Amino acid sequence: MGAPDFANLPHIGESLRRKEDYRFLTGAGNYTDDINLANQTHCIFVRSPHAHATIKSIDIAEAMKMPGVVGIFSGKDIEGKMGGLPCGWLINNPDGTPMKEPMHPILAIKKVRYVGDHVAMVVAETVEQAKNAAEAVVVDYDVHQALVSVADAAKKASGVVIHDEAPDNQCYKWTIGDKAAVDAAFVNAAHVTKLDLVNNRLIPNPMEARVAIGSYSRATEDYVLYVSNQNPHVERLLMTAFVLGLPEHKVRVIAPDVGGGFGSKIYLYAEDVCLTWAAKQLNRSIKWTGDRSECFLSDAHGRDHVSHAEMAMDKDGKFLAMRVHTDCNLGAYLSTFSTAVPTILYATLLAGQYTTPQIYVEVDSWFTNTAPVDAYRGAGRPEATYLVERLVTRCAWEMKLSQSDIRARNFITAFPYQTPVALQYDTGDFHTLLNQANELADVAGFAARRTASEAQGKLRGMGYSSYIEACGIAPSNIAGALGARAGLFECGEIRVHPTGSVTVFTGSHSHGQGHETTFAQVVAARLGIPVENVDVVHGDTGRVPFGMGTYGSRSISVGGAAIMKALDKIETKAKKIAAHLMEASDADIEFANGEFTVKGTDKKIPFGQVALTAYVPHNYPLDKLEPGLDETAFYDPTNFTFPAGTYICEVEIDKQTGEVKVDRFTAVDDFGTIINPMIVEGQVHGGLVQGIGQALMENCVYDNETGQLLTGSFMDYAMPRAEDFPQFTLATHSTPCTHNPLGTKGCGEAGAIGSPPAVINAVLDALAPLGVIDFDMPASPHRVWEAMQKGGTTPTQQPQTPSLAGSTQGRPVV
């Protein structure tokens, strides 16, 4: 069925309440920490207090004598016995040589490389006993200088080498685009806008900390890992094939209810492997529950880019070429998908919504003595959007154009559109998104609101962001050619029961997205049955066919499409059964609204009768059809999907304190076909909160000398609260995706992608009268206050330009 027909089915576009919410709201959720196994012990990890040091010795003698201790393991116990944690994406240098890929052991071998690195695991009968014993483990370190920034890592003169395999601390250099063509365009440009910016490092902080339970059965030689994870099949594959060398069918990974992930729970972590391996060594189940301090230290962090960007334009503000250089911080080790984030998922989105003819990007990636960095809500696309939309806004100021004008004259209008950085957009309507945002944000009334703020001694600014993202990363063969070490398909199994109810098994995994509702709506719409008659099962490699999990807003577009393909098979077989029951040709059978009919007649039978017949085959053509009505399908997308939107933010700044208040925020998005508007709205709300949180308050900071994490708790790392936000104004304008059967594009990351540049552009617009010409996230009160006191020097080419709202009054701009 095509996207237009599907979009008009019952249940599609309905804001049904989430089926899963009842158990969550009543405390009936089943999270990993709620699970306790027979004969279970508890684990505490001894973590390095130093960012960079050689381990001279580890003394466990006293710790082993302490009450309840079952076992203690360190690097010497695993050295030479297993592989390291693998990286899932290979990136090559421009000369074709592969990136440097140092081993990432599950317990540090001879050296630690960031504060929180795993030195030893202590297993005891109780958590308290394990903690006491962990404190008794004595580790003698030879401490080295730490490198925490990409600037320091790149200084060869420092002599500090984090990995012997990378003596210059560089993992890879990567490029995309035609450098010669870009350089030529800059030579002939009427105007060039330049911008330096930092995308600050973030700590994900999902509500549920990471938890894992490893168990082993001597009788069957089977392992089971319960874990708070977003893609259990990939976790099992990486752990068995690359680290432990176990037969995959002997390991079962179960990810029950997961309390948020945002990307940080995609990866194979050292703790997961340690518990699985040690469960066999001790013949005991082992449980580890990370506390919040451990999450700050050891969960994969996000962002951390330092970039220089330039845009070449003609005299009318038409974009001619863009060139970008980015240094990205990978942390101490390569995480599962870390290498793809600043390359395939970042540089390929630098075209944005614009018809820039030529783009050239260089990316240098560095090892540092910090926690590994990987995908965090948006994964490369927020970094790309932040750079593009900050740069486009600067271009408008320098070219004396309003923000609407600079965007409108450069928007892509004809689709499909091939960008100069590999991606081809299949559909979109960027002008309508912008126009709708302008109307809902009441841009025309901005000047009056600014005047009112000034009367109260406050500064007001408006910022724009027109983002595009790539979701449902695909297809597998192209991704493989670009370095992916896994497929990017998804699986769906439909099991129709004799009474006509349905169980769906999906390789996608829900950690807050509402899959149990959305997928049920898709199946119910297609089969014409009540939504409550559809159950969705996910997160268990022992029950669900191999799937790739949830990240990159792929679930409905990829996982949902796999379910649709399985439903196609169900319908085909069901029509044959219906044809037999009504003594007709299956070619004459039509199916709609839960009923099978014979063309041109009044003959019809309900779906439930066909389902029962499939399992009670009296007078059933068993020579032609097998009993049952179960089908499985895999879906490998032919292209990314491309959600897009325009966001407009208004801020008010207190001149006395530097406090930034988001006073108004408008978001207009194109998500293609929308299955459940209420769930979509919730996803956008959550994304906006995270994006605005990065823009205004969140900032992961390490001490440059010691490598200590200075923002290691909520006392020092500010998280957004409800009181920090206005009521968001949301709207959608949909152009269905042209290459998946649902027409969907994905909505989970959009808010976090589009909002940071809108906020910072608004802050800069407000601060411009004070001569502040630039500002990096986060715009926290003390940073804004300091900027206001210092002011700034005007750019070399200082125009008197329209405000962001398009007014004609002259004013200082950046």
Side-chain angles (χ1 to χ4, degrees):
M1 298 178 70
D5 292 334
F6 178 81
N8 292 321
L9 289 176
H11 303 309
I12 302 306
E14 290 186 29
S15 292
L16 301 182
R17 290 185 179 182
R18 300 200 321 174
K19 298 175 66 176
E20 50 270 71
D21 280 351
Y22 180 81
R23 74 172 186 272
F24 294 143
L25 293 173
T26 58
N30 187 36
Y31 298 90
T32 306
D33 197 40
D34 293 321
I35 298 169
N36 290 290
L37 305 181
N39 203 27
Q40 179 176 282
T41 58
H42 297 268
C43 170
I44 293 293
F45 286 90
V46 177
R47 298 182 182 275
S48 171
H50 305 292
H52 195 194
T54 299
I55 299 174
K56 297 172 66 176
S57 65
I58 301 176
D59 186 350
I60 64 171
E62 291 302 315
M64 281 296 297
K65 299 175 184 176
M66 296 185 71
V69 173
V70 177
I72 300 177
F73 303 98
S74 64
K76 67 179 179 61
D77 296 301
I78 57 102
E79 187 173 8
K81 298 178 181 178
M82 64 182 69
L85 300 179
C87 178
W89 205 291
L90 172 67
I91 296 296
N92 289 323
N93 294 291
D95 63 2
T97 58
M99 66 188 188
K100 302 180 183 73
E101 203 167 354
M103 181 181 180
H104 184 181
I106 63 171
L107 293 169
I109 298 175
K110 299 176 183 177
K111 196 175 185 181
V112 291
R113 294 179 171 88
Y114 68 100
V115 174
D117 206 351
H118 312 73
V119 176
M121 63 177 297
V122 178
V123 184
E125 298 290 351
T126 69
V127 174
E128 197 61 37
Q129 289 171 335
K131 287 182 177 179
N132 292 338
E135 292 176 0
V137 174
V138 179
V139 185
D140 188 10
Y141 296 98
D142 182 11
V143 180
H144 310 310
Q145 181 182 338
L147 304 175
V148 301
S149 70
V150 291
D152 289 340
K155 292 178 182 176
K156 297 179 181 179
S158 70
V160 179
V161 176
I162 298 172
H163 294 282
D164 292 340
E165 297 89 339
D168 58 357
N169 297 317
Q170 186 166 16
C171 179
Y172 61 79
K173 175 185 280 290
W174 185 84
T175 64
I176 190 171
D178 187 333
K179 184 177 187 302
V182 168
D183 289 345
F186 271 83
V187 170
N188 298 315
H191 183 85
V192 174
T193 292
K194 300 180 180 182
L195 183 65
D196 292 299
L197 68 167
V198 174
N199 204 297
N200 46 319
R201 178 183 282 230
L202 302 177
I203 300 174
N205 283 313
M207 189 172 288
E208 178 203 22
R210 286 192 295 120
V211 186
I213 308 171
S215 67
Y216 176 74
S217 168
R218 287 263 171 96
T220 62
E221 298 183 329
D222 288 338
Y223 298 79
V224 178
L225 173 67
Y226 293 88
V227 63
S228 181
N229 186 268
Q230 296 175 216
N231 56 347
H233 274 105
V234 173
E235 169 126 349
R236 180 179 71 168
L237 173 63
L238 296 177
M239 181 167 60
T240 57
F242 295 95
V243 188
L244 296 179
L246 297 172
E248 192 173 0
H249 70 285
K250 287 295 184 181
V251 179
R252 180 180 180 185
V253 176
I254 302 172
D257 289 328
V258 173
F262 313 116
S264 69
K265 293 178 181 175
I266 299 173
Y267 322 116
L268 176 63
Y269 283 99
E271 294 90 350
D272 308 345
V273 183
C274 284
L275 268 66
T276 305
W277 171 79
K280 179 179 180 180
Q281 312 307 308
L282 300 176
N283 197 30
R284 298 285 298 274
S285 298
I286 309 172
K287 183 174 186 176
W288 169 75
T289 301
D291 62 30
R292 190 57 67 179
S293 295
E294 285 183 293
C295 291
F296 273 92
L297 289 173
S298 62
D299 285 10
H301 293 172
R303 316 293 191 244
D304 207 343
H305 285 192
V306 178
S307 299
H308 175 76
E310 300 179 355
M311 183 73 81
M313 292 172 282
D314 68 13
K315 62 182 179 59
D316 297 317
K318 184 71 175 174
F319 301 156
L320 302 176
M322 180 168 66
R323 56 189 174 200
V324 175
H325 181 271
T326 293
D327 288 297
C328 70
N329 192 337
L330 295 174
Y333 299 99
L334 297 182
S335 181
T336 306
F337 295 114
S338 60
T339 53
V341 175
T343 53
I344 306 302
L345 299 179
Y346 162 71
T348 57
L349 268 296
L350 287 172
Q353 297 187 12
Y354 309 108
T355 56
T356 311
Q358 296 290 340
I359 300 174
Y360 177 71
V361 187
E362 289 184 348
V363 177
D364 287 307
S365 292
W366 306 91
F367 292 111
T368 63
N369 295 117
T370 62
V373 178
D374 210 313
Y376 172 64
R377 199 170 192 171
R381 286 91 79 190
E383 295 91 322
T385 296
Y386 185 68
L387 184 147
V388 171
E389 290 304 297
R390 284 286 313 277
L391 183 61
V392 168
T393 292
R394 174 73 68 88
C395 289
W397 289 333
E398 293 185 0
M399 295 299 291
K400 302 182 181 180
L401 295 170
S402 75
Q403 294 303 314
S404 289
D405 286 345
I406 193 77
R407 286 167 170 78
R409 67 183 56 189
N410 286 288
F411 274 159
I412 298 162
T413 58
F415 296 89
Y417 177 81
Q418 178 63 53
T419 74
V421 278
L423 298 183
Q424 184 181 86
Y425 306 158
D426 65 320
T427 185
D429 185 359
F430 304 148
H431 281 282
T432 298
L433 296 171
L434 174 63
N435 293 338
Q436 194 170 348
N438 278 331
E439 181 178 349
L440 291 175
D442 185 23
V443 172
F446 173 70
R449 292 192 295 275
R450 189 206 296 275
T451 299
S453 294
E454 290 172 348
Q456 297 176 8
K458 295 183 178 180
L459 303 169
R460 180 175 284 265
M462 177 180 283
Y464 279 66
S465 171
S466 294
Y467 79 91
I468 191 167
E469 61 165 321
C471 296
I473 183 170
S476 291
N477 59 344
I478 293 178
L482 294 174
R485 289 166 165 167
L488 295 167
F489 55 84
E490 196 47 83
C491 175
E493 178 187 346
I494 306 296
R495 189 174 298 172
V496 179
H497 304 294
T499 57
S501 62
V502 175
T503 301
V504 178
F505 297 86
T506 175
S508 298
H509 186 280
S510 178
H511 43 283
Q513 294 89 343
H515 291 173
E516 293 174 36
T517 302
T518 305
F519 286 175
Q521 285 181 255
V522 169
V523 174
R526 181 70 183 277
L527 297 181
I529 61 177
V531 172
E532 54 268 24
N533 285 7
V534 182
D535 281 341
V536 177
V537 176
H538 58 91
D540 185 345
T541 63
R543 299 183 66 189
V544 176
F546 193 100
M548 297 305 296
T550 295
Y551 40 85
S553 297
R554 72 191 303 270
S555 293
I556 193 63
S557 298
V558 185
I563 290 171
M564 286 290 283
K565 289 188 68 176
L567 288 167
D568 288 342
K569 296 180 180 181
I570 293 285
E571 182 176 326
T572 298
K573 183 174 181 179
K575 283 182 175 179
K576 293 178 180 179
I577 299 172
H580 171 73
L581 292 175
M582 292 187 285
E583 299 179 335
S585 167
D586 54 328
D588 292 329
I589 301 298
E590 295 179 333
F591 179 60
N593 300 319
E595 291 183 327
F596 296 88
T597 58
V598 180
K599 293 178 186 178
T601 75
D602 59 358
K603 288 185 177 181
K604 61 181 180 180
I605 57 174
F607 177 77
Q609 183 178 345
V610 171
L612 182 62
T613 302
Y615 290 95
V616 186
H618 299 160
N619 300 317
Y620 186 82
L622 291 172
D623 57 327
K624 297 179 181 178
L625 290 172
E626 295 179 350
L629 202 52
D630 297 351
E631 296 290 351
T632 300
F634 289 82
Y635 175 71
D636 196 330
T638 57
N639 192 5
F640 289 89
T641 64
F642 297 100
T646 287
Y647 292 176
I648 300 177
C649 175
E650 269 186 56
V651 301
E652 199 173 52
I653 300 177
D654 189 320
K655 287 195 276 189
Q656 301 301 314
T657 65
E659 181 181 7
V660 178
K661 174 187 175 184
V662 177
D663 187 60
R664 302 161 69 99
F665 200 103
T666 301
V668 181
D669 297 286
D670 178 0
F671 297 134
T673 302
I674 292 176
I675 308 299
N676 188 313
M678 181 182 67
I679 289 178
V680 168
E681 185 174 324
Q683 286 287 310
V684 175
H685 278 185
L688 291 177
V689 166
Q690 285 186 279
I692 297 171
Q694 174 180 14
L696 294 184
M697 56 195 75
E698 296 186 51
N699 194 27
C700 175
V701 180
Y702 283 90
D703 181 82
N704 281 326
E705 297 298 323
T706 65
Q708 293 294 324
L709 180 62
L710 301 180
T711 52
S713 75
F714 291 134
M715 294 294 291
D716 302 295
Y717 187 94
M719 293 287 285
R721 302 180 181 184
E723 64 187 15
D724 296 316
F725 305 98
Q727 182 68 39
F728 299 127
T729 300
L730 307 183
T732 58
H733 170 72
S734 296
T735 60
C737 174
T738 61
H739 55 77
N740 73 53
L742 297 169
T744 54
K745 295 184 178 181
C747 69
E749 298 167 301
I753 291 169
S755 58
V759 174
I760 297 302
N761 285 334
V763 169
L764 283 167
D765 183 49
L767 295 179
L770 303 182
V772 178
I773 65 171
D774 211 347
F775 201 93
D776 281 319
M777 298 183 288
S780 54
H782 80 277
R783 288 164 57 88
V784 173
W785 186 87
E786 287 179 352
M788 289 192 296
Q789 307 315 303
K790 295 176 182 177
T793 57
T794 55
T796 303
Q797 298 181 0
Q798 172 63 52
Q800 295 293 308
T801 72
S803 74
L804 288 179
S807 68
T808 56
Q809 67 179 25
R811 50 190 296 270
V813 296
V814 293

